[in-house]
Amino acid sequence: MATTAAGGDKQGAITPTLAFAALVAGAMAMGVSPVFVRTAEVGPFASAFWRVFTALPVLVAWAAFEVRRQSRDSGRAPAPMLTFATPVLLSGLFFAGDLTFWHLAIMNTTMANATMMSCLAPVWVLLLSGAFIGEPVPKSSFVGLALCLGGAAMLVGSSYSIDPSRILGDVFGLITSVFFGLYFLAIRVGRRKAGGGVLTLSSTIVTAILLLAVALLSGNAMLPQTAQGYASLAALGLVSHAGGQGMLTLALGVLSAAFSSLVIFLEAFAAAFFGWLFFGETLGLMQVAGSALILGGVWVARPRS
């Protein structure tokens, strides 16, 4: 795997192996988010806002540590903790779109259909990487994509259905995948000039502002009623956003957008596993086989030295 210098990170400071580990951990952290959403006791758009807002204290600490370390290593005055360059603004906009349309999808179609449609995000990343961010995609990545899509379909299994009354929700799911794919590309470009902490904090502020407007316009209940609801919102921010999106951003300073997007298929596996663990949802032989197929797709698409 070849490393790519990004935004004040020393070349090789984050090895490809560590970047891959961060990517896998980030996928698992994002995959557990439905557990927290279901127990948050607020509306879906409100939970999307709290997901990013409650992550801000951790992201501020990360960005502050990052700029102090860079200042110490370079002997220069600390750089700003925020940057709102075009890729950063776009990444915040795209992630707000991703969460908004994801919640519209799950309210207008089945969870299985919404999940299957959102799993198409890597398709857009692979198709657009060469033209939009100058990263040609090897043929092995398309083979890996085919395997991962097959695995995701097996994870969804018989729960997926075609119903004309739910077509709008399916379209919302497809739009979700487009926004998430564009988010990958924007973060990858942003990491070429900004560190992971600074980029994640800046992007999250943009997302939080947009999602607050969406939540208020939707009329969602904004505050939970019990301590469990507050704990779920805190976990959504700390685990799924600060942890999940943060580690994704960190990894994208080293790994290509195309390969990273395929690894995020593990989020579908994580969602199935945590659904089985916490809610007793089905996790049978087909789901296990689908998970194995996703792992096979990631292996086939892995970058060669």
Side-chain angles (χ1 to χ4, degrees):
M1 299 182 188
T3 57
T4 300
D9 292 338
K10 288 184 176 180
Q11 182 80 3
I14 303 172
T15 67
T17 300
L18 287 176
F20 178 72
L23 196 56
V24 172
M28 299 300 286
M30 288 185 282
V32 75
S33 63
V35 175
F36 304 136
V37 171
R38 290 186 185 186
T39 56
E41 302 173 356
V42 296
F45 298 110
S47 68
F49 163 71
W50 289 118
R51 168 178 174 153
V52 293
F53 184 79
T54 54
L56 288 176
V58 174
L59 299 181
V60 168
W62 179 16
F65 171 79
E66 185 175 76
V67 297
R68 283 199 301 268
R69 185 199 66 191
Q70 292 171 359
S71 174
R72 180 196 64 207
D73 293 345
S74 66
R76 300 174 181 174
M81 283 176 51
L82 295 175
T83 175
F84 294 108
T86 299
V88 180
L89 293 173
L90 288 176
S91 66
L93 170 64
F94 293 150
F95 195 63
D98 167 66
L99 290 180
T100 298
F101 280 96
W102 167 249
H103 286 108
L104 285 172
I106 62 179
M107 289 190 298
N108 289 277
T109 189
T110 65
M111 181 63 75
N113 286 30
T115 300
M116 191 61 218
M117 292 296 103
S118 66
C119 279
L120 297 176
V123 173
W124 313 116
V125 176
L126 268 65
L127 290 177
L128 300 177
S129 282
F132 279 36
I133 65 171
E135 288 185 359
V137 180
K139 293 180 180 179
S140 60
S141 293
F142 288 98
V143 176
L145 173 63
L147 293 173
C148 288
L149 286 173
M154 294 176 72
L155 275 173
V156 173
S158 59
S159 299
Y160 183 85
S161 62
I162 299 175
D163 185 343
S165 67
R166 294 172 177 153
I167 190 65
L168 181 60
D170 293 345
V171 171
F172 286 147
L174 182 62
I175 296 173
T176 299
S177 74
V178 174
F179 272 112
F180 198 36
L182 293 174
Y183 170 77
F184 261 91
L185 299 177
I187 288 291
R188 176 61 173 159
V189 173
R191 281 290 277 127
R192 293 172 181 170
K193 293 185 177 180
V198 170
L199 177 54
T200 308
L201 172 61
S202 304
S203 175
T204 297
I205 289 174
V206 176
T207 301
I209 293 171
L210 295 173
L211 289 179
L212 176 60
V214 172
L216 293 176
L217 289 172
S218 71
N220 276 182
M222 292 296 293
L223 296 176
Q225 302 300 312
T226 68
Q228 176 181 305
Y230 282 101
S232 295
L233 290 179
L236 195 59
L238 298 176
V239 176
S240 297
H241 192 77
Q245 304 302 137
M247 285 185 280
L248 169 61
T249 303
L250 194 66
L252 278 168
V254 177
L255 302 173
S256 72
F259 175 69
S260 299
S261 70
L262 294 182
V263 177
I264 296 300
F265 269 110
L266 294 177
E267 184 181 349
F269 160 73
F273 173 76
F274 289 121
W276 166 78
L277 183 64
F278 290 104
F279 302 113
E281 296 178 358
T282 302
L283 187 62
L285 182 60
M286 180 173 290
Q287 284 73 31
V288 173
S291 302
L293 202 56
I294 288 174
L295 292 175
V298 171
W299 173 258
V300 168
R302 73 193 186 282
R304 271 64 170 180
S305 297

